[in-house]
């Protein structure tokens, strides 16, 4: 989620010591960053092999916030091998997100089971669970230190699941920009507490007043594979039809 510029200015002007920020509060502020009621974007996904070979995919994506709950639908536009693959994710309160995928070769919509949360999404380094908006209350949060990452001054926070079975990771360490509270780096550790993946923001800019990570890189340090996402275009707060966020749209690719 992306925080409005006015809120960023207030956060900078008021000393952080007055807030008594701890790890949980920092995570909550990041979770609550404003990112508009809707978004519509064109995204390039580059799958980068350990030998440097790159396979690119073009995705059209729509997102919607309804109160505290988010929905997202993606359509793969190219190349031909994944064209017309469609994915829908709907956040629920107090239970797992609903996820469905339409695979053109099978010509049917398949629900993604919660047990598949640690599986790769479309060959990328992100899993289905990585794509969820994880509620702050599911984790413990500890503020480790303050340090600089790239051009950002950051709060560094360690998070681990209150229920060990509720996460594919033993813990995560996140660098939150102190001005915007946007996560600009995340380290993810496997169940043996070895570093598995690193997510880094490469380009962070304001679009229509919302802080937006326009380019990110997720690297699997154990395999050498990486995934870069580059937003070619993004528009916030345009009206979107309800029918877009439905399994009917997944089946047909049309909004009726």
């Amino acid at each position: 989620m992306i925080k409005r510029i006015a809120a960023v200015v207030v956060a900078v002007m008021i000393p952080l010591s007055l807030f008594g920020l701890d790890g949980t509060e920092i995570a909550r502020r990041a979770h609550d960053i404003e990112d508009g009621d809707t978004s519509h974007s064109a995204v390039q996904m580059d799958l980068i092999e350990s030998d440097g070979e790159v396979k690119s995919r073009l995705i059209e994506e729509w997102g919607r916030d309804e109160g505290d709950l988010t929905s997202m639908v993606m359509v793969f536009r190219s190349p031909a091998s994944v064209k017309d693959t469609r994915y829908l994710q709907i956040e629920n309160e107090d239970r797992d997100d609903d996820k469905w995928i339409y695979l053109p070769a099978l010509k049917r919509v398949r629900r993604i089971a919660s047990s598949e949360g640690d599986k790769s999404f479309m060959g990328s380094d992100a899993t289905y669970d990585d794509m969820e908006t994880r509620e702050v209350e599911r984790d413990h949060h500890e503020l480790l230190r303050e340090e600089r990452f790239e051009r950002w001054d950051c709060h560094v926070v360690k998070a681990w699941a209150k229920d060990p079975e509720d996460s594919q990771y033993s813990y995560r360490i996140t660098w939150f920009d102190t001005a915007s509270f946007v996560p600009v780096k995340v380290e993810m550790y496997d169940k043996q507490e070895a570093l598995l993946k690193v997510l880094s923001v490469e380009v962070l800019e304001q679009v229509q007043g919302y802080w937006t990570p326009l380019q990110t890189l997720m690297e699997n340090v154990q395999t050498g594979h990486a995934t870069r996402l580059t937003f070619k275009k993004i528009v916030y707060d345009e009206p979107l039809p309800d029918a877009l966020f439905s399994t009917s749209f997944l089946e047909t690719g049309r909004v009726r």
Side-chain angles (χ1 to χ4, degrees):
M1 295 180 167
I2 312 303
K3 200 172 186 69
R4 291 185 185 275
I5 186 171
V8 171
V9 172
V10 170
V12 171
M13 291 176 62
I14 300 175
L16 291 176
S17 59
L18 295 182
F19 294 117
L21 291 179
D22 60 13
T24 299
E25 181 60 24
I26 292 166
R28 185 171 289 113
R29 288 186 177 218
H31 180 275
D32 293 341
I33 295 171
E34 293 289 342
D35 65 347
D37 294 329
T38 67
S39 64
H40 182 195
S41 55
V43 184
Q44 180 173 314
M45 174 189 284
D46 292 328
L47 304 180
I48 307 168
E49 302 293 339
S50 58
D51 62 3
E53 180 185 359
V54 178
K55 298 177 182 177
S56 296
R57 298 169 171 184
L58 185 62
I59 304 167
E60 188 172 9
E61 180 177 337
W62 298 263
R64 179 176 67 177
D65 285 357
E66 293 182 296
D68 292 332
L69 303 178
T70 63
S71 300
M72 179 263 288
V73 64
M74 304 170 68
V75 178
F76 284 76
R77 297 301 188 188
S78 67
S81 59
V82 294
K83 182 178 171 60
D84 293 330
T85 299
R86 297 184 278 271
Y87 175 74
L88 172 64
Q89 180 171 298
I90 297 177
E91 185 179 5
N92 298 302
E93 191 170 7
D94 299 326
R95 63 184 178 89
D96 291 337
D97 292 0
D98 289 320
K99 307 180 188 78
W100 298 268
I101 193 165
Y102 172 81
L103 299 172
L106 300 179
K107 292 185 171 58
R108 68 180 181 88
V109 174
R110 184 176 76 84
R111 179 184 283 272
I112 305 298
S114 58
S115 60
E116 299 177 83
D118 62 350
K119 304 300 182 186
S120 167
F121 174 71
M122 293 295 292
S124 74
D125 292 279
T127 65
Y128 287 102
D129 282 353
D130 288 334
M131 298 169 65
E132 291 188 357
T133 300
R134 188 172 176 87
E135 294 302 317
V136 174
E137 293 73 21
R138 292 167 65 180
D139 296 325
H140 298 287
H141 304 271
E142 178 187 357
L143 176 59
L144 299 178
R145 60 188 180 275
E146 312 285 328
E147 72 178 25
R148 193 164 182 83
F149 169 68
E150 301 292 345
R151 65 183 183 275
W152 298 286
D153 293 320
C154 296
H155 305 294
V156 183
V157 176
K158 179 179 179 179
W160 63 100
K162 293 179 179 178
D163 176 1
E165 300 300 318
D166 185 35
S167 176
Q168 63 188 290
Y169 306 113
S170 58
Y171 61 91
R172 306 178 311 280
I173 297 179
T174 304
W175 282 251
F176 296 95
D177 172 34
T178 59
S180 65
F181 288 90
V182 173
V184 292
K185 178 183 177 182
V186 185
E187 292 182 346
M188 290 151 271
Y189 291 78
D190 65 21
K191 288 295 189 179
Q192 288 70 48
E193 300 192 2
L195 180 61
L196 175 60
K197 294 186 290 189
V198 179
L199 174 65
S200 303
V201 172
E202 297 181 322
V203 179
L204 177 64
E205 296 180 2
Q206 286 188 3
V207 179
Q208 295 175 232
Y210 302 110
W211 285 108
T212 306
L214 292 175
Q215 186 167 287
T216 63
L217 180 69
M218 181 178 281
E219 303 172 271
N220 186 315
V221 301
Q222 297 184 9
T223 66
H225 193 275
T227 303
R228 176 173 282 116
L229 297 179
T230 304
F231 282 76
K232 298 297 187 179
K233 181 180 179 181
I234 184 165
V235 177
Y236 291 105
D237 295 327
E238 67 176 11
L240 298 177
D242 291 342
L244 189 61
F245 302 92
S246 68
T247 54
S248 176
F249 174 74
L250 291 193
E251 291 172 349
T252 64
R254 299 188 298 273
V255 177
R256 296 173 178 174

